Amino acid sequence: MDRRSPSASAAGPLPRRSWWGWGTEDRALPDGECADLGALVPGAAGTPLPVPGIADLDMPLSRVTAPPSLGHLVSDAPEDRAGHTYGKAYRDVVRALYGDLRPAPDLVARPRTEREVTDVLDWASGADVAVVPYGAGSSVVGGVEYRAGLHRGVVSMDLTGLDRVLEVDRVSRAARIQAGVLGPALEDQLRPHGLTLRHFPQSFEFSTLGGWLATRAGGHYATLHTHIDDLVESMRVVTPAGVNESLRVPGSGAGPSPDRLFLGSEGTLGVITEAWMRLQDRPGHKASATVFFDGFDTALRAVRAISQSGLHPANCRLLDPGEAALAQVAVGGRSALVLGVESAGRPVDGRLAELVGLARDHGGAPAPAGREDSDTAAGTWRSAFLRMPYLRDALARMSVISETFETACTWDRLPLLVDTVRRELAATVRKTTGSEAMVNCRLTHVYPDGAAPYFTVVAAARRGSEVAMWDDVKAAATQVLGDLGATVTHHHAVGRDHRPGYDRQRPEPFALALRAAKQALDPAGILNPGVLLDPAPRPGATG
Amino acid sequence: MDRRSPSASAAGPLPRRSWWGWGTEDRALPDGECADLGALVPGAAGTPLPVPGIADLDMPLSRVTAPPSLGHLVSDAPEDRAGHTYGKAYRDVVRALYGDLRPAPDLVARPRTEREVTDVLDWASGADVAVVPYGAGSSVVGGVEYRAGLHRGVVSMDLTGLDRVLEVDRVSRAARIQAGVLGPALEDQLRPHGLTLRHFPQSFEFSTLGGWLATRAGGHYATLHTHIDDLVESMRVVTPAGVNESLRVPGSGAGPSPDRLFLGSEGTLGVITEAWMRLQDRPGHKASATVFFDGFDTALRAVRAISQSGLHPANCRLLDPGEAALAQVAVGGRSALVLGVESAGRPVDGRLAELVGLARDHGGAPAPAGREDSDTAAGTWRSAFLRMPYLRDALARMSVISETFETACTWDRLPLLVDTVRRELAATVRKTTGSEAMVNCRLTHVYPDGAAPYFTVVAAARRGSEVAMWDDVKAAATQVLGDLGATVTHHHAVGRDHRPGYDRQRPEPFALALRAAKQALDPAGILNPGVLLDPAPRPGATG
């Protein structure tokens, strides 16, 4: 069996992944552009932080070695360890730029079969070595960074070697897919079958199916099936207590759903190795439109009407004035609602007209020139969306805090939530950094009963104190969300960074149940310690 | 606070519930009609089994008494204990008709507040008394029948005293609802707000919100949100380890969903006391149509095309020739597809026309006279649907096995599954009862990746051996479903009767996790022992 990813062989070698920042090295902004960008933010540093070379950095010595039987899977090369030290949150990027590699894993393991996953877990369980499952490392919540300081060693288990679509059931529109496949390679393998998973998170290029499943990722689409959860038929998960393979059926009422325990388990209960996923026919009909609103609250009411209409737009993204201006979709202090509809087999113009009509009925002004302008607006926004993390990294180099967080709450609380977050964050930034923050908001997903607002904060920080300052801002955000009964995350997962908010919102009996489940499946306590739950006290190391 | 259910006070006293059979006593078929019905089944008994009087039956003495503080909540009256002994499966009805009340609970508790639920659990945990949470007792899988024989006593906890809608959020279209409310009383309380839960299982009149949640019930609607699971915003569950209240949000990605652990937990982890449920505007536009097919396989292909079209019909019920004839929807060996569309605010005729067009493209013949005839067919079918359990009971009195079971599998396996079930069941019935079975099939729910077939088996049994014979037939069905990778239940839950199939399909690591979670939440092992999991060995009784 040829184990090379078809997509990789078709497209030639991929550009090198950045070890410190988002995506690939070739797309990082050069120093001059970083400086130009920084100049737009009052109080930003005048020169970019240099990108350190890995060879120049102090990395702790590797404390463990794998047994010879696993030797071919593991690496202690500095570039592997450096690239697997952090996720890609703002605070991760800044720490990497400052050359702090203290949390580096001792080893990076790259299994290419499920058997090899099992072998690594077996060894690690006996050797008191923590295992951090690692898809493509796009976590923005400390999900792949070991911090427990309790184990004899730490292995980052990079799963991107499990990168193939193994089976396609065209009749049922489903496929059995290995969990380490990256978004583009997954879609490349489905395209010849006329099918798509149609799950496009912002991290699409640099995240894996298994990562999406483990973190309950949200896709690009705004309504109906927003999270990957709903696209799962069944999963295979390697736990230290055995392989968990759920039944592949379209629906079941037989006890609590096994998959729902592993969806969102973030590598704490097992390693997802493959899944049967529900697919869709590739859309042949698409249309989009942009509608402008003078007031954000008016726009919220329009979006609510749309979300409760049963029309299920593929896209229903509301940008507040700041967000709309940044994305060059709207100017003049107006909010912009980007609507999109798609269908494989049926024309969509009628549905789009209904949606625009609803928006107009609720005070919206559709973009004047119809299809072409609307498509341009949507396209402009999409390019900006994908470029955003690279701009974030460029700003980080200018000591500008540029970070996002997201949440969800019901419609009755939404206007208050958005207002409170804006006010509290601006106040905290002023107090913490002494500068004025830009706090923008968009809705990324909408439901009949509520929506998921996504906030962007940009503010100059004091060089050298960026992480501490951001942590203060984030703590204030978490406090507001908790006080108003909004979730600490709609689709970025919990990891280690969201633990305070998660611990507050998680019901205590469920915490007991989850802890008991983890103890049953991972008795040695090696799987991603500190994520979701506090690491269990160590038994005597036996390895 | 007036604790009487508004619906009960508005509609006057309800007809008396049958202690032995489905629904209310006034709707049970009289002896003559039972005999007429039995005469249609070759080999049926000539006279109906008499319905025993409770006073004439041997019921075991109640072994436990509640402490005085709970005295006002509990009853050991024979009619209470008899009515809470069984669910409403065929095998339950037959055992009741034969006067077998050995599994009767010692007490029936009727808490009217969450505090009273907690008090009963506290006492029972300390007294080694099993607690069987009981909504309205419509389980068809032994979900409310204690069989463990291990505890000092058994309490059936009847939750129908928790029957109120507590709060309505019109903006977010959601309501906080007590779990013991019956379907009609729930809808009565939502109607003044123009809202509906729109969850209509066949048991609607005789089942509760909490029962639907605990068993992952399936509603009447055929696509999209088929199970109650998707209608839940948050739940309150009283466990012996504390109250589990999940955050009320439209969506979240913060760890594994707490609600999904309790959905389908069937009273083994806690007692659901209330939930925030997602509601809908009451539909103002409805249309339906019936389409006939000469071959069932052809019809399956048409239904698959519809399920993958994104048109989301409210109803998409495919009846095979036997089922269609019984329901008087079609004659002449044709299958019938009943399609329905609904919307609160938008006309639906266009969507219905698209659906009928798809069916026609795949070989269907729409009912000739359009709307009126189609509505008649749909209406005829619905009346037959609601009357079905009463006919089942009448046939039970004639010693005719008349029972249903259901499953789900992906489209690729569906034709083979339906054929195999028909063949194996006919063979088993022939071997077991010596008579010919009628095995009919309909699809109750359809998904883009598969469907849920629902089978009805009618066959004369030997008087006195009905239960044993049905158990043989059911075992054969379970075997076929397991062999073909179909779920043991799509929406009837596991209870005790489905344990063999459930144990086979449930992944072993998940069983370990579930057992650990139960041990954490219900350390005394009192909650619905034997459902989903084997009861834990008893600690020394301390009560």
Side-chain angles (χ1 to χ4, degrees):
Chain A
M1 193 157 86
D2 179 5
R3 292 207 156 277
R4 290 197 316 170
S5 152
S7 66
S9 53
L14 294 167
R16 205 156 73 153
R17 287 291 302 277
S18 170
W19 75 268
W20 64 273
W22 188 257
T24 56
E25 288 184 344
D26 59 316
R27 283 192 273 174
L29 274 65
D31 289 8
E33 290 183 32
C34 291
D36 291 349
L37 200 61
L40 301 175
V41 181
T47 54
L49 288 168
V51 175
I54 294 174
D56 303 331
L57 299 176
D58 270 346
M59 200 179 316
L61 289 176
S62 209
R63 297 164 298 170
V64 288
T65 51
S69 62
L70 300 177
H72 62 295
L73 302 181
V74 301
S75 162
D76 61 1
E79 53 277 17
D80 284 328
R81 295 175 62 206
H84 289 76
T85 302
Y86 294 121
K88 298 297 181 191
Y90 169 77
R91 65 196 308 285
D92 301 337
V93 170
V94 172
R95 286 182 296 162
L97 285 172
Y98 279 103
D100 177 2
L101 289 181
R102 284 172 296 174
D106 298 286
L107 298 170
V108 174
R110 289 194 173 85
R112 300 192 65 88
T113 63
E114 186 177 283
R115 181 56 206 253
E116 291 177 346
V117 172
T118 304
D119 290 346
V120 171
L121 293 189
D122 283 351
W123 162 65
S125 286
D128 193 34
V129 169
V131 175
V132 177
Y134 185 102
S138 68
S139 172
V140 291
V141 293
V144 295
E145 175 194 344
Y146 179 82
R147 294 180 196 161
L150 289 171
H151 295 74
R152 241 180 31 91
V154 178
V155 173
S156 176
M157 186 189 277
D158 183 316
L159 294 150
T160 50
L162 299 167
D163 62 357
R164 295 168 62 87
V165 171
L166 299 170
E167 205 172 333
V168 173
D169 171 359
R170 190 66 188 79
V171 172
S172 313
R173 294 200 322 199
R176 184 160 70 91
I177 307 172
Q178 287 187 307
V181 68
L182 293 163
L186 166 56
E187 289 293 334
D188 285 349
Q189 293 174 73
L190 295 178
R191 197 171 294 111
H193 302 276
L195 294 167
T196 172
L197 179 60
R198 201 174 173 273
H199 180 78
F200 302 114
Q202 189 173 18
S203 62
F204 178 70
E205 290 176 276
F206 307 109
S207 55
T208 63
L209 173 62
W212 303 336
L213 295 167
T215 61
R216 301 177 67 192
H220 177 76
Y221 293 95
T223 68
L224 215 51
H225 301 307
T226 53
H227 286 85
I228 194 83
D229 312 33
D230 291 321
L231 310 181
V232 179
E233 267 183 355
S234 72
M235 286 161 65
R236 267 182 81 91
V237 187
V238 175
T239 81
V243 176
N244 195 87
E245 177 167 11
S246 56
L247 195 67
R248 185 199 159 206
V249 285
S252 178
S257 161
D259 292 335
R260 298 279 181 171
L261 179 64
F262 291 100
L263 288 162
S265 62
E266 302 188 23
T268 62
L269 302 179
V271 178
I272 300 164
T273 54
E274 58 183 67
W276 272 98
M277 299 299 297
R278 300 188 174 117
L279 307 175
Q280 300 188 43
D281 293 313
R282 301 186 71 80
H285 303 263
K286 290 191 191 192
S288 63
T290 305
V291 182
F292 301 108
F293 292 86
D294 284 333
F296 193 66
D297 280 357
T298 311
L300 283 181
R301 279 193 293 274
V303 172
R304 174 159 65 85
I306 285 170
S307 74
Q308 296 179 345
S309 69
L311 285 165
H312 307 309
N315 201 353
C316 182
R317 209 167 281 258
L318 176 62
L319 314 180
D320 78 356
E323 192 85 15
L326 269 189
Q328 301 176 24
V329 173
V331 289
R334 294 197 296 177
S335 299
L337 173 62
V338 182
L339 290 166
V341 279
E342 292 186 7
S343 171
R346 298 177 302 124
V348 291
D349 289 336
R351 193 146 55 102
L352 183 65
E354 279 194 78
L355 287 161
V356 172
L358 265 173
R360 194 191 297 111
D361 292 348
H362 288 81
R371 290 287 294 280
E372 195 170 276
D373 271 15
S374 297
D375 276 0
T376 307
T380 304
W381 186 82
R382 194 174 296 110
S383 322
F385 178 66
L386 290 177
R387 192 152 181 256
M388 209 76 80
Y390 294 103
L391 299 180
R392 190 269 317 255
D393 289 355
L395 287 169
R397 291 188 60 201
M398 303 308 295
S399 297
V400 172
I401 290 172
S402 170
E403 184 55 302
T404 62
F405 64 92
E406 37 76 56
T407 182
C409 75
T410 46
W411 288 114
D412 59 321
R413 288 171 286 168
L414 198 69
L416 177 65
L417 178 86
V418 173
D419 284 351
T420 310
V421 166
R422 281 189 208 281
R423 194 179 56 241
E424 292 294 318
L425 256 61
T428 305
V429 166
R430 205 172 296 125
K431 204 172 75 184
T432 306
T433 72
S435 60
E436 290 301 310
M438 183 179 77
V439 181
N440 292 335
C441 176
R442 61 178 190 264
L443 301 189
T444 57
H445 301 83
V446 299
Y447 302 90
D449 58 334
Y454 192 102
F455 295 94
T456 304
V457 184
V458 178
R462 202 166 46 252
R463 181 151 282 185
S465 303
E466 294 94 335
V467 170
M469 286 178 161
W470 166 250
D471 285 350
D472 283 350
V473 175
K474 177 72 177 178
T478 301
Q479 181 73 33
V480 172
L481 301 186
D483 289 350
L484 294 179
T487 178
V488 70
T489 180
H490 173 266
H491 61 269
H492 281 169
V494 174
R496 294 164 177 89
D497 295 349
H498 277 159
R499 281 291 305 284
Y502 176 64
D503 290 0
R504 180 175 173 184
Q505 81 185 53
R506 179 181 55 191
E508 195 44 43
F510 183 71
L512 293 175
L514 190 60
R515 211 169 284 131
K518 180 171 172 69
Q519 172 65 28
L521 299 183
D522 174 26
I526 56 158
L527 280 168
N528 219 3
V531 166
L532 298 182
L533 297 163
D534 286 338
R538 310 307 314 133
T542 57
Chain B
M1 193 156 85
D2 179 5
R3 292 208 156 275
R4 289 197 316 171
S5 152
S7 66
S9 54
L14 294 167
R16 207 157 71 152
R17 287 291 302 277
S18 170
W19 74 268
W20 63 273
W22 188 258
T24 56
E25 288 183 346
D26 59 317
R27 283 192 274 174
L29 273 64
D31 289 9
E33 289 183 34
C34 292
D36 291 348
L37 200 62
L40 301 176
V41 182
T47 55
L49 288 168
V51 175
I54 294 174
D56 303 331
L57 298 176
D58 270 347
M59 201 179 315
L61 290 176
S62 208
R63 297 164 298 170
V64 288
T65 52
S69 62
L70 300 177
H72 62 296
L73 301 182
V74 301
S75 161
D76 62 0
E79 52 278 16
D80 284 328
R81 296 175 61 207
H84 289 77
T85 302
Y86 294 121
K88 299 296 181 190
Y90 169 77
R91 65 195 307 285
D92 301 337
V93 170
V94 172
R95 287 183 296 163
L97 285 173
Y98 279 102
D100 177 3
L101 289 180
R102 284 171 296 175
D106 298 287
L107 298 170
V108 174
R110 289 194 172 83
R112 300 192 66 88
T113 63
E114 187 177 282
R115 181 56 206 254
E116 291 177 345
V117 172
T118 304
D119 289 345
V120 171
L121 293 188
D122 283 352
W123 162 66
S125 287
D128 193 35
V129 168
V131 175
V132 177
Y134 186 102
S138 68
S139 172
V140 292
V141 294
V144 294
E145 175 195 343
Y146 178 83
R147 294 180 197 162
L150 290 171
H151 295 74
R152 247 185 19 98
V154 178
V155 172
S156 176
M157 186 189 277
D158 183 317
L159 294 149
T160 50
L162 299 166
D163 61 358
R164 295 169 63 88
V165 172
L166 299 170
E167 206 173 332
V168 173
D169 172 0
R170 190 66 188 78
V171 172
S172 314
R173 294 201 322 199
R176 184 159 70 92
I177 307 171
Q178 287 187 308
V181 68
L182 293 162
L186 166 56
E187 289 293 334
D188 285 350
Q189 293 174 74
L190 296 177
R191 195 170 296 111
H193 302 275
L195 294 167
T196 172
L197 179 60
R198 201 175 173 272
H199 179 78
F200 302 115
Q202 190 174 17
S203 62
F204 178 69
E205 290 175 277
F206 308 108
S207 55
T208 62
L209 172 62
W212 303 337
L213 295 167
T215 60
R216 301 178 67 192
H220 177 78
Y221 293 95
T223 69
L224 215 50
H225 301 308
T226 53
H227 287 85
I228 194 83
D229 312 32
D230 291 321
L231 310 181
V232 179
E233 266 183 356
S234 71
M235 285 161 66
R236 267 182 82 90
V237 187
V238 176
T239 81
V243 176
N244 195 88
E245 177 166 10
S246 56
L247 196 67
R248 185 199 158 205
V249 285
S252 178
S257 161
D259 291 336
R260 298 278 180 171
L261 179 64
F262 292 100
L263 288 163
S265 62
E266 303 189 22
T268 62
L269 302 180
V271 178
I272 300 164
T273 54
E274 58 183 67
W276 273 98
M277 299 298 298
R278 300 186 175 118
L279 307 175
Q280 300 188 42
D281 294 312
R282 300 187 71 80
H285 303 265
K286 290 190 189 192
S288 63
T290 304
V291 183
F292 301 108
F293 292 85
D294 283 333
F296 193 65
D297 280 358
T298 312
L300 283 181
R301 280 192 293 274
V303 172
R304 174 159 64 85
I306 286 169
S307 73
Q308 296 178 344
S309 69
L311 286 165
H312 307 308
N315 201 353
C316 181
R317 209 167 281 259
L318 176 62
L319 315 180
D320 78 356
E323 193 84 15
L326 269 190
Q328 300 176 24
V329 174
V331 289
R334 293 197 297 177
S335 299
L337 173 62
V338 182
L339 291 165
V341 279
E342 292 186 9
S343 171
R346 299 178 302 124
V348 291
D349 288 337
R351 193 147 52 103
L352 184 65
E354 279 194 78
L355 288 161
V356 171
L358 265 174
R360 194 191 297 111
D361 292 348
H362 288 80
R371 290 287 294 280
E372 196 170 275
D373 270 14
S374 298
D375 275 359
T376 308
T380 304
W381 184 82
R382 194 173 297 111
S383 322
F385 177 65
L386 290 176
R387 192 151 181 258
M388 210 75 81
Y390 294 103
L391 299 180
R392 191 268 317 256
D393 289 355
L395 287 169
R397 292 188 60 202
M398 303 308 295
S399 297
V400 172
I401 289 172
S402 170
E403 185 55 302
T404 61
F405 63 93
E406 38 76 56
T407 182
C409 75
T410 46
W411 287 114
D412 58 322
R413 287 171 286 167
L414 198 69
L416 176 65
L417 179 86
V418 173
D419 284 351
T420 311
V421 166
R422 281 189 209 281
R423 194 180 57 240
E424 292 294 318
L425 255 61
T428 305
V429 166
R430 206 172 296 124
K431 204 173 76 184
T432 305
T433 71
S435 61
E436 291 301 311
M438 182 178 78
V439 182
N440 292 334
C441 176
R442 60 178 190 264
L443 302 189
T444 57
H445 301 83
V446 299
Y447 303 89
D449 57 334
Y454 192 102
F455 296 93
T456 304
V457 184
V458 177
R462 202 166 46 251
R463 181 150 283 183
S465 304
E466 294 94 334
V467 170
M469 287 178 159
W470 165 250
D471 286 348
D472 283 350
V473 174
K474 177 73 177 177
T478 301
Q479 181 73 33
V480 171
L481 300 186
D483 290 350
L484 294 179
T487 178
V488 71
T489 180
H490 172 266
H491 61 269
H492 280 168
V494 174
R496 294 164 178 89
D497 295 349
H498 276 157
R499 281 290 306 284
Y502 176 64
D503 290 0
R504 179 175 173 185
Q505 81 185 52
R506 179 181 56 192
E508 195 45 42
F510 183 70
L512 293 175
L514 190 59
R515 210 169 285 131
K518 180 170 171 71
Q519 172 66 28
L521 299 183
D522 175 27
I526 56 158
L527 280 168
N528 220 3
V531 166
L532 297 182
L533 297 163
D534 285 339
R538 308 309 312 135
T542 58

